[in-house]
Amino acid sequence: MRSDVLSIGSVRLFRLALGTVLLLVGTALLLAQAIAWLDLEPRMLRALEGGALCALGTALGAVPVLVIRNMPVALADSLLGFGAGVMLAATAFSLIIPGLDAAQSVGFGKWGAGGLISLGLLFGAFCLYLVDRKVAGASPEALVASGSQPVVPARIWVFVIAIIAHNIPEGMAIGVSAGGGMPDADSLAMGIALQDVPEGLVIALVLAGAGMARFQAFLIGAASGLVEPAAAVLCAWLVKLAELALPLGLAFAAGAMLLVVTQEIIPESRANGHHRLASLGLCVGFCLMMVMDTALS
């Protein structure tokens, strides 16, 4: 009898996930048609389409959280380690290296580019440090019951904020490439969209593992990518200014992500004694993101 109930519940969860995927795809098609009706300048239109594609990739990545019934502590720690690996690889290969290239492309030498990126990285780390102090000051170290719904630890929210901050310069990169008429702008948008899939998944799974309802975790994971089309369109409009701001934006996000990984995510993943699983998850996440960053660039 119990197995029948579990089977029925699993079928319902699968239908919910499948229906959500179809809804996202249908919504994307409707938005594509609506965008086509807009009388936008071609480069602005290209930037909007690229940013929307990235937002869709993030939303699709968050869908699997809908079919997960519960989150064992060991799995949650492994996923935190995986998320740390993804963020470390994104820091290096999606942010710092492109930031150095972007700084040199606007006229900085190698030493100047390194100094500029270092300045932006430290500023990003300092800003997230201030956010961490503000957010974490009112929250306990562990989950606290609030009725039947646990409270998500502040460090998890800092983790989410860092990934959203990382999405902004990705949108800027799409906008600059589209607004500047670069021939590889579409390929860049597709590569970033594919990279965003595991990021949406990590946000949703980490929030679900911290006790948040699955659908709410999915919504937050899916919404985390919405900053990309907004940043893409804005930077396509202000392409010359964005070219100068892009290196600093990339470095700022890198600093924020580096701080949150070392100060919050890695310690949290090892707090329950699952050190080996967390470390293995970090290595897997790093390798996956490194391969996606280098193969799709």
Side-chain angles (χ1 to χ4, degrees):
M1 181 68 177
R2 180 173 174 79
S3 62
D4 291 341
V5 173
L6 289 176
S7 177
I8 293 172
S10 299
V11 170
R12 288 176 177 172
L13 289 174
F14 176 78
R15 288 177 177 174
L16 175 60
L18 180 60
T20 303
V21 171
L22 294 176
L23 178 61
L24 288 172
V25 173
T27 302
L29 292 175
L30 288 174
L31 286 175
Q33 187 63 43
I35 290 173
W37 286 338
L38 295 175
D39 189 20
L40 292 177
E41 194 270 334
R43 294 182 181 182
M44 297 277 290
L45 181 62
R46 195 179 185 189
L48 180 57
E49 289 174 342
L53 180 63
C54 294
L56 178 62
T58 304
L60 289 174
V63 169
V65 76
L66 296 174
V67 300
I68 296 176
R69 286 188 163 276
N70 50 50
M71 186 75 69
V73 175
L75 177 58
D77 290 343
S78 300
L79 287 172
L80 276 174
F82 177 83
V86 167
M87 293 176 73
L88 283 174
T91 298
F93 299 102
S94 294
L95 299 172
I96 292 178
I97 293 177
L100 290 168
D101 293 339
Q104 293 184 45
S105 70
V106 295
F108 285 89
K110 291 184 178 181
W111 284 96
L116 180 68
I117 296 304
S118 296
L119 179 64
L121 193 150
L122 292 173
F123 183 62
F126 177 71
C127 288
L128 198 73
Y129 169 75
L130 295 179
V131 171
D132 184 33
R133 288 193 60 183
K134 182 70 174 178
V135 174
S139 299
E141 290 291 325
L143 296 178
V144 177
S146 178
S148 60
Q149 178 69 37
V151 174
V152 178
R155 63 183 61 190
I156 300 298
W157 286 117
V158 175
F159 168 80
V160 174
I161 290 170
I163 290 190
I164 293 174
H166 150 265
N167 285 337
I168 294 173
E170 286 188 346
M172 292 174 64
I174 294 171
V176 169
S177 61
M182 298 179 183
D184 61 346
D186 295 336
S187 299
L188 174 66
M190 178 62 71
I192 291 176
L194 291 175
Q195 294 169 23
D196 286 341
V197 172
E199 293 172 6
L201 175 63
V202 165
I203 289 180
L205 289 180
V206 166
L207 288 174
M212 181 176 288
R214 286 192 301 269
F215 191 69
Q216 186 178 359
F218 160 74
L219 290 178
I220 293 176
S224 67
L226 294 178
V227 296
E228 294 191 61
V233 172
L234 179 62
C235 289
W237 181 46
L238 301 172
V239 62
K240 292 301 180 184
L241 180 61
E243 284 180 354
L244 299 175
L246 181 60
L248 283 174
L250 290 166
F252 181 93
M257 292 182 71
L258 190 61
L259 182 76
V260 77
V261 168
T262 56
Q263 181 172 304
E264 304 292 352
I265 304 305
I266 291 178
E268 174 76 8
S269 69
R270 303 170 69 88
N272 298 308
H274 301 106
H275 305 77
R276 293 180 178 86
L277 287 175
S279 297
L280 179 61
L282 186 149
C283 293
V284 171
F286 185 93
C287 292
L288 174 64
M289 199 65 184
M290 177 187 66
V291 169
M292 295 186 73
D293 275 347
T294 54
L296 297 172
S297 60

